[in-house]
Amino acid sequence: GQQVMQIPQYQHVQEGEDFTTYCNSSTTLSNIQWYKQRPGGHPVFLIQLVKSGEVKKQKRLTFQFGEAKKNSSLHITATQTTDVGTYFCAGPTSGTYKYIFGTGTRLKVLA
Amino acid sequence: AAGVIQSPRHLIKEKRETATLKCYPIPRHDTVYWYQQGPGQDPQFLISFYEKMQSDKGSIPDRFSAQQFSDYHSELNMSSLELGDSALYFCASSLGAGPDPYEQYFGPGTRLTVT
């Protein structure tokens, strides 16, 4: 079945350092979504990418969708303690509403 | 703005008992999703409904069933509970239109503990 892997699984950074998480799908995705889940919280939608090679920015966050629509990345510039949480990518099985979440990257930011 | 409501927030059941989780999606959202998240795990898709009809099924055990009612609220029924069913259960809803179609809004979750 479809698998979505993320690396790294964990990342500890000093406040102010940059952070990147990579998402790889075993199948082509029609779109990819990114979510952030704070400890003890629920996933919160960050962004959706649809087009091949698409790049979107949200303040310090930059999201990319690969040309083959099988991978994606999230880059955070100058991390802050408020960036702490687990970042998930998620993509639908083709033609369905069945979203497969990636394995997640847990980010810790040290002040 | 209205958010997704889930009840109860916490539930403790014994093995072999049944549980019913409820979800009230954001008004006018046409799709509801159910996910199961174990400790330190990613959310696992269970089932979804589009306009009150089941649209997709994931790794939902046969002991579980779900439905969406005429008022769009959804219920996840879990029978013959097992210890391994202990998890956080999220409901999410989305609207297939607008600038970010299918953006999923998650509820706060129901924490189910089976003893």
Side-chain angles (χ1 to χ4, degrees):
Chain A
Q2 180 184 356
Q3 289 186 325
V4 182
M5 304 296 293
Q6 283 183 251
I7 53 170
Q9 190 176 0
Y10 301 96
Q11 183 85 59
H12 294 185
V13 299
Q14 284 292 137
E15 190 174 21
E17 290 183 338
D18 292 356
F19 158 76
T20 304
T21 172
Y22 299 91
C23 172
N24 294 288
S25 170
S26 59
T27 60
T28 301
L29 302 169
S30 57
N31 66 76
I32 195 155
Q33 298 177 346
W34 283 92
Y35 292 83
K36 176 183 177 182
Q37 185 174 22
R38 291 181 189 272
H42 57 273
V44 174
F45 176 86
L46 294 176
I47 209 155
Q48 176 170 275
L49 303 168
V50 178
K51 300 175 187 171
S52 168
E54 188 171 14
V55 178
K56 284 189 177 180
K57 292 193 175 190
Q58 283 181 354
K59 296 183 181 177
R60 295 178 294 105
L61 277 60
T62 302
F63 303 83
Q64 275 191 302
F65 201 8
E67 293 292 338
K69 301 182 77 172
K70 293 181 74 173
N71 54 57
S72 181
S73 65
L74 157 59
H75 179 82
I76 302 178
T77 304
T79 53
Q80 300 175 357
T81 54
T82 52
D83 295 325
V84 164
T86 302
Y87 292 84
F88 292 102
C89 60
T93 303
S94 180
T96 76
Y97 292 102
K98 180 182 172 183
Y99 275 79
I100 307 298
F101 273 68
T103 46
T105 295
R106 187 172 299 176
L107 173 65
K108 276 196 173 178
V109 179
L110 308 171
Chain B
V4 175
I5 298 171
Q6 288 187 249
S7 68
R9 294 293 308 277
H10 301 272
L11 191 57
I12 299 174
K13 290 285 185 178
E14 294 188 356
K15 281 195 307 185
R16 292 181 287 279
E17 285 192 319
T18 61
T20 298
L21 279 53
K22 296 187 179 183
C23 169
Y24 297 85
I26 292 173
R28 292 186 298 281
H29 277 196
D30 54 19
T31 307
V32 166
Y33 314 76
W34 284 97
Y35 292 91
Q36 177 192 59
Q37 187 176 33
Q41 304 294 311
D42 52 287
Q44 294 289 313
F45 175 88
L46 293 177
I47 197 166
S48 63
F49 293 87
Y50 172 72
E51 283 293 342
K52 294 169 281 186
M53 299 285 290
Q54 181 185 307
S55 55
D56 295 288
K57 229 175 171 183
S59 50
I60 182 169
D62 292 340
R63 300 177 288 108
F64 294 6
S65 65
Q67 56 182 323
Q68 188 174 25
F69 296 85
S70 58
D71 65 351
Y72 287 87
H73 94 271
S74 178
E75 294 184 1
L76 178 65
N77 297 293
M78 310 159 72
S79 62
S80 303
L81 287 169
E82 301 173 358
L83 295 177
D85 296 328
S86 296
L88 202 48
Y89 290 84
F90 287 110
C91 170
S93 71
S94 70
L95 178 64
D100 281 310
Y102 311 113
E103 168 187 347
Q104 295 178 58
Y105 291 81
F106 280 75
T110 294
R111 184 172 297 282
L112 173 66
T113 303
V114 182
T115 61

